[in-house]
Amino acid sequence: MSDCTSTGTNSTLYLAIADRLREGIRTGEYRPGELIGSEHALAREQSISRMTVRRASGLLVNEGLLERRPGKGLFVRENHVTTRQVQVIVSNLAWETCLQVSRGLQAAAKEVGIQVQLYDAHGDAELDLEVVRQLPYGVARGAVIVSLHGQAFNEVVFDLKTKRFPFVLVDQQLRDIDVPSVTADNYAGGYLAGRTLLEAGHRRIAFVGDLVASTVRDRLNGLRDAVNDAGVAFDRSLAIDLGTEQDRLGDWSARVEECVADLMGKSSPPTALFCSCDAIARSAYRALANLNLSVPQDVSVVGFDDDPLAEWLTPRLTTVRQPFRRMGTEALNLLGRLMNDPNSPSERRVLPVELVRGESVAAIGSARGSRLDLGTGPGSVPSAVMQ
């Protein structure tokens, strides 16, 4: 999760400035190659902050209408484009998902002569949505949109689809809108995580994650089915939705720690936690340590993503690996097909995941001095699952 938040500048003002500049470029008031001015000068002329001007100009730079020349200022971009250009929009490059997908996509684009323009909103959801809205009016011929979720985003995507602008979603699959996407097999990943914990004898397994995202809901569904298939009733009260009260792009650590403390305070606490991503697992480790509980001696933990921090955690986190770079490559290939043939049908590509075993899972009854050992008895894991 990211600590980045919105800058707090007046959104109506910066959008109005961007609209004014955009209209001037389209009507010819500002000609290709012409200097519009420096951000400092524009801020003085308008009697506004430089940050407001920078947000407005940033939108037009990402639309391909303006370019920044260091030490000179903002210029209207020349009309000629020597390569096909695509826009890549990520919510925050501080997230490993966005970073690795972008790297895979850029490598694939280089091989086929496509120019990639990368836009990072630094966790500002409002900016993300505005950049997506303006895609049909910029110079990019297509776009890849990474890890954006929520009802407001779905509405913007529907509008983008009606305008027939080529785009591909990554790490997001919409249920009600038929649009091209590339995701990992999140359901299978959740099932793998559940089966791993069941094989260790766990039957009270908690889930902590952001259920606003369809990918995370798939992980929970996989866990639920693994538990039910083992003949153990899945306890829905142990599934915690972080997204109901939380800024999706903010810092979730305090909320995660609060939820884990609540779970472990139950009269029958879980013996294992399945966290929807490794960043949440890191916060869960901290929460358990604050409760004087050890991983895995007292509580087993499984994450998702195989973020580098999974290896840094002590003990090394057991997690589900997503093929992030391949997701980027597949998205670029799919987008290229859509740009060449706008009438081609939408395709949803789902890539396989794999379990990466660490030391964060222990068998029930085998951990020395476990304070949460529930023993054996009714509801134990059937032998079919243990195979």
Side-chain angles (χ1 to χ4, degrees), residues 75-149:
F75 287 78
V76 179
R77 184 168 177 156
E78 299 285 355
N79 288 328
H80 66 275
V81 178
T82 58
T83 61
R84 291 188 298 170
Q85 180 173 305
V86 301
Q87 180 84 59
V88 179
I89 302 171
V90 301
S91 53
N92 199 326
L93 277 177
W95 293 358
E96 192 68 15
T97 302
C98 296
L99 178 63
Q100 295 300 331
V101 168
S102 298
R103 287 177 175 173
L105 194 150
Q106 288 173 315
K110 185 177 181 180
E111 292 184 1
V112 295
I114 291 179
Q115 182 183 78
V116 172
Q117 188 170 29
L118 180 62
Y119 175 78
D120 176 11
H122 301 286
D124 190 327
E126 178 189 302
L127 274 177
D128 267 328
L129 294 178
E130 185 59 27
V131 171
V132 175
R133 288 189 189 99
Q134 297 301 328
L135 281 171
Y137 312 109
V139 299
R141 291 187 55 191
V144 175
I145 306 170
V146 186
S147 291
L148 300 185
H149 304 272

Side-chain angles (χ1 to χ4, degrees), residues 290-321:
N290 291 340
L291 297 169
N292 294 319
L293 297 173
S294 299
V295 178
Q297 289 84 356
D298 298 313
V299 183
S300 291
V301 180
V302 175
F304 207 99
D305 288 343
D306 195 27
D307 188 300
L309 65 84
E311 188 172 355
W312 302 337
L313 290 174
T314 304
R316 205 271 191 216
L317 181 66
T318 295
T319 186
V320 177
R321 176 179 294 155

